[in-house]
Amino acid sequence: MLTVNNLVKNFGDLRAVSAMSFQINDGEILGLVGPNGAGKTTTFRMLLGLMCPDEGEVLWNGAPLNDKVRDLIGYLPEERGLYPKETVEHQIVYFGSLRGKDPKELKPKVDEWLTKLKVKGKKSSKIKELSKGNQQKVQLITTLIHEPKLVILDEPFSGLDPINADIMKDAIIELRKQGACVIFSSHNMDNVEKICDRLLMIKNGQQIMTGSVDEIKESFGRTKVFLESNLTKSEIMAVPGVLDVKAQGKVFEVKLADPAVGKELFKLATKDGYIPTFSQQTLTLEEIFKLKVGELNG
Amino acid sequence: MDKKKLLVIARDVYLKTIKAPTFIIALLAPFIVAVIFFAIGAVLNNSTVKKIGVYTNDPAITQAIVKSSTTDVKLTAVTSVKAAQTKVKNDDLDNYLVVTVTKDTLKAVVYGKNVPGNDTIVALQQTLNGLKATLNASKFNLTPEQVKVLLTPATLTKKELSFSDDGKVTTTKDNSTAKYVVSLIACAFTYFLVMTYASIIAQEIASEKGLRIMEVILSSTNAKTHFYGKLLGVILAALTQLVGTGVLVGLAALVMKDSTQVHDLLASVNFTGLSMNFIVLVIAFILLGCLFYATLAALCGSLVNRSEDTSKAVMPVTYLLFIAYIIGIVIVPNDPANMVVLVSSYIPFFSMILMPIALANGVVSGGAALVSLVILFVSLVVLAILSARMYKVNVLVYNQRGILAALRQAVKMLRS
């Protein structure tokens, strides 16, 4: 279990991270989201011991995160980097050995992982001979080969095509099954929504929202309606409490000021009986993200 | 510091370094140079036996000249100038010498397709000078013994004085040639060895930083372990090169032991002046020097953003080492006891090159060399501790405004 208590980091006059606190239980995935420059990488660096916090503490199972715990960490940095002239196997075994594993123990696992992640290339291939996507997979293997208990993934989906993104997603979900604590950052809210158990949204180094995906979404209420009926755009707009209407083919996407407005809209739309679509939904994470970031920017 | 990880890093750097083609080239380079040297020597040796015909108007003088043949210059009598010319044309002779004896003088002209080299001219000149002296001796009523006395050159030998602490003065045989040769070789060898390994480590660190591998590595192990692991790997590679060079020198000496050139070379220098202590001190200076410059270069390498900028970053380090090298090969041969040399032999940036030479030339005592070695060692320890601390900050700072700005930023971050 990872516990972060009141982390603060300043760079001169700039407060990069302010009073950050959260907890990740074993077998739990935490998504850290925020715009560029929100303090995600600085937070990761403090978790990894690459940077000392000005205040606060990072605890692993209740004890300070020290050199011994480093072997339990798997870290995938935002800017990927491997030795281009080294072979795939040497690379994976070297990073695994730096996490305290015996090379003899690691070598048989290399093949398993290459097959599992469908890496196109041999273990004797040099890194520079692989495509970018396959290099990213090798980097993921170097992150996970030593079966880490705390996995930190900085933008794991960046630069991946949809197929490779799915492979990455499966790998992260499997970590949860193995009981690891996982924290990852992403700009892709779709992936965050599908994978993470809990979400932490930060901006300008400050926590602005935290909770499970459903909790956060519900907290904004069901203020969006997809409506397909005989009503015209102007008829919908005329309903009190409707903020905006966008046409998507035959379906209108209606923004409501309050979830209760949905009932009024439903009554109006069904006054003549059957309608093909009426779906009142919560905002997507992306919409919430834009809303919160925009709100604070304003 | 995690010893297991230190060894993992050192092993990786070590294997990477000794498997690189540059290592093999650096190891073999001195021998390639030596082989070329001996090959040229062999070619020159074969062609140095000059066959020269001698023609004079006095057969007794002809015989006297012919008698003075040496291993390099073979003199034979010819019956006429015409006969000599024919032999030169047919390459039976390289040159021929026509000597005209008049009342007091002895005039000689040497002919040939090519004029003989300086060595042959000197040999001929000596023969003719001796002959002239003998011919003129009778005029002054000198006996052959008196002539011999006159012709014997004065002797000049060199001896070294050494002063012990109890005030005794002892004279020893002159070992300066041996020491000079060894120190010059050590100077060049140390320079190239130190330069090679300083570049290797700077390149290695800059490329890891440029490739953004550092974050992963430093999340696996602490910066100190990584830094010292790299230094250990590099110094082990340097040691391997030293040992490898030693083994190859031994093998070469075994293979070439019957070669006359090796015999001549060994005979020309007196190796009894080389004590075991001297050799141990030289090796200690070389290894500590390698470590000292590798540490400095590693620090410079950690300041750049891309491996392409490494040479720019290590340039100040290269200049420092180059100054030591230049003092070693320019000032020392002319004036071994020069104040610049003496002072520089104690300065850690220069001592690894200059102290072994100063010691070899006898301008400092063994005790002084030990003091300099201790200064170098202490400086190395301080430098390594400081560098390891700065390294952690440097490798994670990517400053676009140049190396100095990166250094300032690192110092600022270190203080905070």
Side-chain angles (χ1 to χ4, degrees):
Chain A
M1 187 175 70
L2 180 80
T3 313
V4 171
N5 286 332
N6 202 28
L7 277 193
V8 175
K9 182 74 194 175
N10 300 310
F11 295 120
D13 296 333
L14 177 82
R15 177 153 284 202
V17 173
S18 171
M20 176 91 71
S21 294
F22 57 86
Q23 189 173 311
I24 312 171
N25 297 314
D26 294 349
E28 194 175 45
I29 303 175
L30 176 75
L32 185 65
V33 296
N36 294 330
K40 300 188 293 280
T41 301
T42 305
T43 306
F44 286 157
R45 285 186 167 191
M46 285 191 281
L47 298 187
L48 292 163
L50 298 177
M51 232 175 230
C52 295
D54 294 329
E55 284 173 40
E57 56 181 1
V58 180
L59 304 174
W60 175 253
N61 291 336
L65 217 153
N66 56 23
D67 274 3
K68 289 231 157 170
V69 181
R70 283 175 196 271
D71 290 349
L72 303 174
I73 298 178
Y75 173 51
L76 182 76
E78 182 178 7
E79 295 202 57
R80 313 288 149 75
L82 296 166
Y83 300 96
K85 290 177 192 165
E86 300 289 344
T87 64
V88 169
E89 184 180 36
H90 177 266
Q91 194 95 142
I92 296 171
V93 171
Y94 179 59
F95 280 122
S97 318
L98 282 182
R99 298 282 183 196
K101 290 277 177 191
D102 189 342
K104 281 181 206 151
E105 196 184 323
L106 293 166
K107 280 184 181 170
K109 286 188 184 170
V110 173
D111 286 317
E112 265 173 50
W113 272 98
L114 291 176
T115 316
K116 190 168 161 186
L117 294 191
K118 302 188 180 86
V119 177
K120 288 197 179 71
K122 292 181 205 144
K123 62 180 174 184
S124 57
S125 309
K126 289 195 171 156
I127 295 292
K128 62 181 176 187
E129 293 163 2
L130 302 184
S131 70
K132 205 179 161 208
N134 283 306
Q135 288 185 19
Q136 296 220 39
K137 288 182 190 171
V138 172
Q139 181 111 42
L140 182 67
I141 299 175
T142 63
T143 310
L144 303 178
I145 188 96
H146 57 290
E147 294 166 1
K149 295 285 165 245
L150 171 61
V151 182
I152 298 172
L153 310 166
D154 202 352
E155 298 291 344
F157 300 102
S158 79
L160 294 182
D161 63 34
I163 295 167
N164 284 332
D166 277 343
I167 293 174
M168 175 69 78
K169 219 183 290 173
D170 293 342
I172 297 175
I173 290 168
E174 200 179 317
L175 288 168
R176 172 164 50 199
K177 285 185 200 151
Q178 290 162 0
C181 292
V182 183
I183 176 166
F184 77 99
S185 67
S186 180
H187 285 120
N188 184 333
M189 295 301 147
D190 190 36
N191 287 326
V192 173
E193 199 165 342
K194 284 181 185 149
I195 306 174
C196 65
D197 301 308
R198 278 190 310 117
L199 189 72
L200 178 65
M201 196 179 282
I202 61 171
K203 185 163 190 281
N204 297 335
Q206 288 183 320
Q207 281 178 229
I208 53 176
M209 252 186 333
T210 183
S212 75
V213 175
D214 287 341
E215 277 166 16
I216 287 179
K217 284 165 96 176
E218 288 297 339
S219 73
F220 281 81
R222 293 179 176 251
T223 53
K224 193 168 62 175
V225 172
F226 290 95
L227 175 63
E228 191 183 347
S229 68
N230 293 330
L231 295 177
T232 62
K233 189 177 175 179
S234 50
E235 281 171 331
I236 300 170
M237 275 303 280
V239 177
V242 169
L243 299 175
D244 191 24
V245 181
K246 272 184 203 156
Q248 291 180 352
K250 289 179 181 173
V251 182
F252 289 109
E253 186 189 326
V254 186
K255 264 192 191 167
L256 311 176
D258 189 276
V261 180
K263 281 185 185 170
E264 300 304 317
L265 190 60
F266 183 78
K267 268 187 211 163
L268 184 67
T270 54
K271 63 181 189 301
D272 299 328
Y274 171 78
I275 58 165
T277 309
F278 182 94
S279 172
Q280 187 165 359
Q281 296 183 0
T282 55
L283 295 179
T284 62
L285 268 187
E286 191 159 332
E287 287 164 328
I288 295 172
F289 180 75
K290 284 180 185 162
L291 187 74
K292 290 302 282 185
V293 170
E295 202 174 80
L296 287 160
N297 279 345
Chain B
M1 200 157 44
D2 189 330
K3 275 189 199 143
K4 199 174 152 195
K5 289 182 186 176
L6 180 92
L7 292 178
V8 168
I9 295 161
R11 185 174 175 270
D12 189 66
V13 175
Y14 175 73
L15 290 178
K16 220 187 276 178
T17 308
I18 64 161
K19 279 182 188 168
T22 44
F23 180 83
I24 315 285
I25 294 167
L27 191 61
L28 294 179
F31 298 94
I32 295 167
V33 172
V35 165
I36 293 170
F37 171 78
F38 279 113
I40 292 172
V43 170
L44 285 178
N45 222 20
N46 285 337
S47 57
T48 47
V49 181
K50 290 277 177 192
K51 284 177 281 177
I52 296 175
V54 179
Y55 176 75
T56 70
N57 48 1
D58 184 338
I61 289 177
T62 306
Q63 282 312 307
I65 297 174
V66 167
K67 270 185 192 166
S68 63
S69 286
T70 63
T71 47
D72 293 337
V73 182
K74 196 181 175 215
L75 300 161
T76 46
V78 285
T79 48
S80 66
V81 170
K82 188 111 184 150
Q85 282 173 346
T86 312
K87 284 188 172 177
V88 169
K89 191 184 169 196
N90 297 338
D91 289 329
D92 294 329
L93 287 177
D94 293 303
N95 300 87
Y96 65 91
L97 185 74
V98 178
V99 185
T100 323
V101 186
T102 56
K103 207 174 151 196
D104 296 330
T105 58
L106 211 150
K107 277 186 185 167
V109 183
V110 64
Y111 298 91
K113 286 183 196 165
N114 297 304
V115 179
N118 214 25
D119 291 350
T120 313
I121 293 290
V122 169
L124 288 176
Q125 186 75 56
Q126 272 178 358
T127 305
L128 295 171
N129 284 348
L131 189 64
K132 184 173 168 264
T134 317
L135 288 176
N136 288 333
S138 53
K139 279 188 200 163
F140 305 113
N141 296 322
L142 296 175
T143 62
E145 282 72 30
Q146 286 170 321
V147 174
K148 203 178 167 190
V149 170
L150 276 177
L151 286 176
T152 309
T155 57
L156 174 67
T157 48
K158 294 177 271 180
K159 291 215 171 184
E160 284 182 352
L161 285 180
S162 47
F163 301 94
S164 58
D165 292 337
D166 54 4
K168 274 186 193 164
V169 181
T170 45
T171 53
T172 50
K173 259 204 263 174
D174 170 40
N175 298 318
S176 59
T177 325
K179 288 175 173 178
Y180 180 66
V181 168
V182 169
S183 62
L184 266 197
I185 293 173
C187 175
F189 184 72
T190 312
Y191 174 72
F192 287 109
L193 197 76
V194 171
M195 188 65 101
T196 306
Y197 289 98
S199 313
I200 287 176
I201 196 162
Q203 192 70 38
E204 171 88 17
I205 287 172
S207 85
E208 275 183 0
K209 193 181 165 190
L211 294 168
R212 312 276 162 158
I213 297 173
M214 253 345 158
E215 281 192 23
V216 177
I217 291 176
L218 295 190
S219 73
S220 321
T221 179
N222 62 42
K224 214 161 66 177
T225 308
H226 186 236
F227 187 72
Y228 292 142
K230 292 254 169 214
L231 283 179
L232 181 63
V234 161
I235 203 65
L236 285 177
L239 190 63
T240 307
Q241 191 177 339
L242 265 181
V243 172
T245 306
V247 169
L248 285 178
V249 166
L251 282 177
L254 269 181
V255 171
M256 309 272 293
K257 68 179 175 199
D258 298 327
S259 146
T260 48
Q261 280 133 352
V262 172
H263 272 284
D264 291 350
L265 189 76
L266 292 179
S268 70
V269 288
N270 182 351
F271 283 100
T272 51
L274 299 175
S275 67
M276 202 58 206
N277 287 346
F278 176 70
I279 292 169
V280 168
L281 266 175
V282 170
I283 292 175
F285 269 109
I286 291 177
L287 285 181
L288 285 186
C290 263
L291 260 178
F292 186 85
Y293 270 96
T295 311
L296 267 182
L299 187 64
C300 292
S302 70
L303 285 168
V304 298
N305 297 344
R306 303 174 307 151
S307 63
E308 290 87 339
D309 299 334
T310 321
S311 54
K312 215 162 55 187
V314 293
M315 205 172 278
V317 178
T318 324
Y319 283 154
L320 277 175
L321 188 62
F322 194 63
I323 291 171
Y325 179 63
I326 289 298
I327 295 175
I329 63 161
V330 175
I331 302 184
V332 174
N334 295 319
D335 183 7
N338 188 293
M339 196 44 95
V340 174
V341 180
L342 290 181
V343 173
S344 307
S345 339
Y346 292 94
I347 300 174
F349 296 98
F350 310 129
S351 60
M352 70 288 294
I353 286 184
L354 295 176
M355 189 44 103
I357 308 182
L359 188 63
N361 286 317
V363 292
V364 294
S365 65
L370 265 181
V371 170
S372 170
L373 194 69
V374 170
I375 295 175
L376 178 60
F377 181 74
V378 172
S379 316
L380 171 66
V381 171
V382 173
L383 180 71
I385 292 172
L386 272 179
S387 300
R389 284 179 62 190
M390 288 188 72
Y391 182 75
K392 181 181 176 182
V393 180
N394 284 350
V395 288
L396 295 174
V397 169
Y398 292 89
N399 196 308
Q400 305 301 332
R401 281 168 296 152
I403 296 153
L404 277 179
L407 188 65
R408 273 198 298 273
Q409 193 178 346
V411 170
K412 202 173 146 194
M413 284 177 78
L414 201 62
R415 280 189 189 151
S416 70

